[in-house]
């Protein structure tokens, strides 16, 4: 038999058509998993295409080489196509994965709106600026205080009725009643006088605590700014002048202040300081007075040589006045729409 006998022709034609079907199937595979799973069935040992090899033996010997080459050629072509298709699918799957995992960093281009300081912090900083311009320095003291610094050294003997002016929150530490949350910033006066020598021109802003029921002008946690001036020949006139200078510098025109006689155990004489709003109403801002000689003495300052005045203003109330805030509780609800006005 020659190469063009029907047997050899048939086998070659069948090889071509099987190879064409395999090539089409390789192209149609949608992913690497599908492609690799189909490999054995398409051109592996048990596949119809590979099965043609077994039929080579039934051809006349003279036809076998050509038919064998045709069959090997067809197998080589599908194998080559398999590898290239596999590479193609791998690349496209990798692209898909990268696309799916891509982080869109362009969203970060818009910076978030900037935050702002709370109106109380702003008020405290402005007050510090005003007093620094008047020649004062800023001091600090602890919020958890000893009973002695908060009351004892300030001329409130144990059991003194003036202690009842403050609804004190005691801390369970040390002997009962020995440790408390400071009810005012006046203990910082004691610490400053004990730690520094006169002349002293100091303000001490900070948080205070009382068992006060929250209402429009009271909070159980609030802020005060304490002032202490100790020098030779300081008089009540200097105190009045300092308060007048402060009121004008901080509030500007349209606000006036007044001093009303009052009582604090650590100042003598003592006064309460009120400010009148442009609408004519008055708000109590704080207390003040000439530092009591016994307080000077307890703190190691010679009352024969030095005299001085002190004041303590409510920072939250100052903010109310300056910004026209009606209710202190609004400062604590943290409603951004309210806070971003300041
Ligand atoms: C004092 O605390 C004195 N230490 C002030 C002082 C200092 C007098 C130095 C003399 C010399 P008073 O209890 O009146 O005083 O409080 C002063 C101010 O703190 C008040 O006028 C008010 O503005 C503010 N304040 C007091 N309690 C509260 C509260 N619960 N909520 C908000 N502000 C308050």
């Amino acid at each position: 038999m020659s190469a063009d006998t029907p047997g050899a022709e048939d086998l070659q034609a069948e090889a071509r058509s099987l190879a064409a079907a395999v090539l089409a199937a390789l192209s149609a595979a949608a992913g690497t998993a599908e492609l690799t799973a189909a490999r054995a069935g398409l051109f592996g040992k048990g596949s119809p295409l590979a099965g043609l090899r077994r039929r080579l033996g039934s051809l006349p010997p003279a036809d076998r080489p050509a038919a064998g080459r045709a069959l090997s050629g067809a197998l080589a072509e599908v194998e080559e196509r398999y590898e290239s298709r596999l590479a193609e699918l791998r690349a496209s799957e990798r692209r898909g994965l990268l696309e799916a995992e891509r982080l869109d960093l362009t969203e970060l281009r818009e910076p978030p709106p900037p935050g702002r300081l709370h109106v109380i912090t702003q008020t405290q900083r402005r007050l510090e600026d005003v007093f620094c311009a008047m020649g004062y320095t800023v001091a600090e003291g602890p919020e958890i205080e000893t009973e002695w610094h908060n009351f004892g050294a300030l001329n409130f003997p144990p059991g003194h009725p003036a202690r009842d002016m403050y609804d004190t929150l005691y801390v369970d530490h040390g002997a009962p009643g020995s440790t408390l949350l400071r009810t005012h910033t006046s203990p910082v006066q004691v610490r400053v006088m004990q730690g520094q020598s006169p002349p002293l021109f100091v303000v001490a802003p900070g948080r205070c605590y009382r068992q006060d029921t929250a209402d429009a002008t009271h909070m159980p946690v609030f802020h005060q700014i304490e002032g202490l001036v100790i020098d030779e020949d300081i008089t009540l006139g200097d105190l009045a002048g300092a308060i007048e200078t402060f009121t004008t510098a901080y509030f500007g025109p349209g606000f006036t202040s007044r001093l009303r006689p009052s009582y604090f155990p650590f100042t003598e004489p003592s006064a309460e300081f009120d400010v009148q709003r442009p609408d004519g109403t008055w708000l109590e801002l704080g207390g003040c007075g000439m530092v009591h000689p016994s307080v000077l003495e307890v703190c190691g300052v010679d009352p024969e040589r030095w005299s001085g005045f002190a004041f303590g203003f409510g920072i939250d109330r100052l903010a109310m006045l300056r910004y026209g805030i009606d209710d202190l509780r609004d400062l604590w609800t943290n409603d951004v729409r309210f806070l971003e006005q300041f």
Side-chain angles (χ1 to χ4, degrees):
M1 259 197 275
S2 68
D4 52 9
T5 59
E9 289 279 306
D10 286 351
L11 193 133
Q12 285 179 33
E14 208 173 322
R16 274 196 301 277
S17 101
L18 279 173
V22 171
L23 290 174
L26 292 176
S27 297
T32 51
E34 186 185 329
L35 187 73
T36 49
R39 181 193 167 131
L42 290 174
F43 59 94
K45 271 191 191 140
S47 66
L49 190 58
L52 292 180
R53 271 192 201 288
R54 286 189 290 279
R55 284 174 42 202
L56 279 176
S58 60
L59 293 180
D63 292 346
R64 286 181 202 160
R69 273 196 303 277
L71 188 53
S72 299
L75 277 166
E77 190 187 357
V78 298
E79 253 166 61
E80 200 177 299
R81 177 63 190 137
Y82 171 85
E83 292 302 335
S84 69
R85 181 68 183 142
L86 187 62
E88 249 172 59
L89 289 173
R90 275 198 183 128
S92 111
E93 281 171 12
R94 188 170 156 70
R95 270 196 308 276
L97 202 66
L98 286 176
E99 193 63 32
E101 288 181 351
R102 189 163 71 160
L103 277 180
D104 186 359
L105 297 174
T106 54
E107 275 179 23
L108 297 178
R109 269 186 312 195
E110 281 284 307
R116 65 184 66 225
L117 293 174
H118 191 277
V119 60
I120 294 297
T121 311
Q122 291 182 38
T123 306
Q124 179 174 323
R125 294 202 179 167
R126 287 219 178 92
L127 290 167
E128 289 173 11
D129 288 348
V130 167
F131 281 109
C132 285
M134 289 165 67
Y136 292 61
T137 56
V138 178
E140 281 187 338
E143 290 175 25
I144 299 176
E145 259 300 4
T146 67
E147 178 280 335
W148 185 80
H149 285 92
N150 195 83
F151 290 128
L154 291 169
N155 214 16
F156 293 79
H160 191 284
R163 290 193 182 210
D164 301 340
M165 297 190 321
Y166 306 95
D167 282 317
T168 310
L169 289 155
Y170 286 89
V171 176
D172 189 6
H173 176 80
S178 64
T179 313
L180 44 78
L181 295 178
R182 67 178 178 195
T183 59
H184 52 177
T185 41
S186 297
V188 189
Q189 285 185 40
V190 177
R191 292 182 178 276
V192 168
M193 283 191 273
Q194 284 186 317
Q196 302 174 33
S197 307
L200 298 170
F201 288 77
V202 172
V203 281
R207 212 170 271 154
C208 304
Y209 305 82
R210 292 183 197 175
Q211 286 190 60
D212 282 345
T213 306
D215 64 21
T217 53
H218 292 84
M219 288 301 290
V221 181
F222 60 99
H223 304 77
Q224 285 187 345
I225 183 161
E226 192 79 10
L228 176 70
V229 167
I230 306 283
D231 205 342
E232 286 170 334
D233 303 323
I234 295 287
T235 66
L236 193 62
D238 295 310
L239 168 61
I243 288 187
E244 187 62 39
T245 310
F246 160 76
T247 310
T248 317
Y250 184 73
F251 290 106
F255 287 83
T256 46
S257 64
R258 72 178 177 199
L259 292 177
R260 277 182 293 119
S262 186
Y263 172 75
F264 297 100
F266 43 98
T267 46
E268 179 57 36
S270 303
E272 220 117 29
F273 163 64
D274 304 329
V275 165
Q276 190 178 35
R277 303 177 175 104
D279 70 2
T281 55
W282 292 90
L283 185 68
E284 179 203 307
L285 274 197
C288 57
M290 300 305 291
V291 181
H292 198 292
S294 12
V295 175
L296 293 175
E297 213 161 340
V298 163
C299 298
V301 175
D302 179 5
E304 298 297 324
R305 178 171 174 203
W306 306 101
S307 56
F309 63 79
F311 55 81
F313 303 156
I315 295 181
D316 317 67
R317 300 244 186 120
L318 282 160
M320 283 183 96
L321 274 180
R322 187 175 160 137
Y323 298 105
I325 296 166
D326 296 326
D327 195 318
L328 277 190
R329 288 167 292 194
D330 290 336
L331 297 171
W332 293 87
T333 46
N334 283 339
D335 184 333
V336 174
R337 290 164 304 179
F338 174 77
L339 292 174
E340 69 189 1
Q341 301 173 82
F342 309 105

